[in-house]
Amino acid sequence: MTDPVTAVNRRPIRAVAFDLDGTLVDSAADLMHASNALLAELGRPPVDLPAVRSFIGDGAPKLVERVLAASGGVPAPEEEARCLRRFLAIYEADPSAHSALYPGVAETLGRLAEAGLRLGVCTNKPMAATTRLLDDLGIAGRFAAVVGGDSYPTRKPSPEPVLGLLERLGVPPGEAAFVGDNEHDVAASRAAGVALVLMVPYGYARVPLDGLPHDGILGGFADLPGRLSC
């Protein structure tokens, strides 16, 4: 947790960066449907929702690798690459049919925007699916910048996409907050020097949130403005 003196001396927050899957959107069902469509084409058994939830967070290549490993084994690199391309084609065609915003997300984003904060998304999901999902769920217009898992050479937990997003937002890390759901969000935002790192109490974390070096766990998404003092 952040030292109280550090919190008192922190510069005002001017921007908020958000993770997407598990933070703003519960997207696991659509990822499961796309995964199982791929597996059906391969003649493999389907994966269930709890398994897919545990596979999310490292981008599409890792998700597909884990799906393949769980359903019969990872094939040779050329075939694995073909499976990834096919998965993306299936998923990007309709990434929102079974996805939904978490409670309080739409209203809270509106409140933050009205308070004059710059908002952005930093996700490991590919950009094509990200922009389609944000648009389908009606929140694309809330964000001044969005970066995906294919926007930079590295993904979270690297700080590169976080720093890239903040550069696009025109706000230094010392005046920004990051809101996420898992260990990669904490590692990336801490390495980027973000002033305030907050976690949602749901999502797809694979390790206990209490053991991570964040600045607090929200009671719910609607609690965010109070934690930012806006």
Side-chain angles (χ1 to χ4, degrees), residues 4 35 39 41 67 70-71 77-78 87 117 120 134 154 162 186 196-197 214 223-224 227:
S35 297
L39 293 175
E41 292 180 0
V67 166
S71 61
E78 287 187 6
F87 169 83
L117 292 167
L134 292 173
T154 59
V162 178
V186 176
L196 184 64
V197 181
H214 52 66
D223 292 344
L224 180 56
R227 298 298 294 269

Side-chain angles (χ1 to χ4, degrees), residues 19-35 47-68 70 87 91 95 98-100 102 122-126 129-130 133 155-157 180-185 199-200 202-207 209:
D19 172 54
L20 181 59
D21 299 281
T23 300
L24 299 176
V25 181
D26 186 356
S27 56
D30 278 305
L31 291 167
M32 181 189 71
H33 281 281
S35 297
V47 289
D48 62 20
L49 191 58
V52 172
R53 286 183 181 278
S54 74
F55 298 158
I56 298 171
D58 296 289
K62 208 66 179 174
L63 173 67
V64 171
E65 177 186 315
R66 290 166 177 157
V67 166
L68 293 172
F87 169 83
Y91 180 64
H98 306 281
S99 295
Y102 285 107
C122 180
T123 176
N124 282 345
K125 184 190 291 293
T130 295
L133 185 59
R155 305 181 181 92
K156 296 178 296 182
D181 73 304
N182 70 26
E183 59 277 12
H184 291 338
D185 296 320
M199 308 300 289
V200 294
Y202 45 80
Y204 311 136
R206 288 185 290 272
V207 301
L209 296 181

Side-chain angles (χ1 to χ4, degrees), residues 18 20 119-123 125-127 130-131 134 139-140 142-148 151-152 161 164-165 168-169:
F18 297 92
L20 181 59
L119 307 181
V121 171
C122 180
T123 176
K125 184 190 291 293
M127 274 298 291
T130 295
T131 54
L134 292 173
I139 59 172
R142 293 298 187 189
F143 302 106
V146 177
V147 300
S151 296
Y152 296 95
L165 175 67
R168 297 183 191 201
L169 291 174

Side-chain angles (χ1 to χ4, degrees), residues 162-179:
V162 178
L163 291 170
L165 175 67
L166 295 177
E167 182 177 3
R168 297 183 191 201
L169 291 174
V171 176
E175 298 176 10
F178 195 102
V179 181

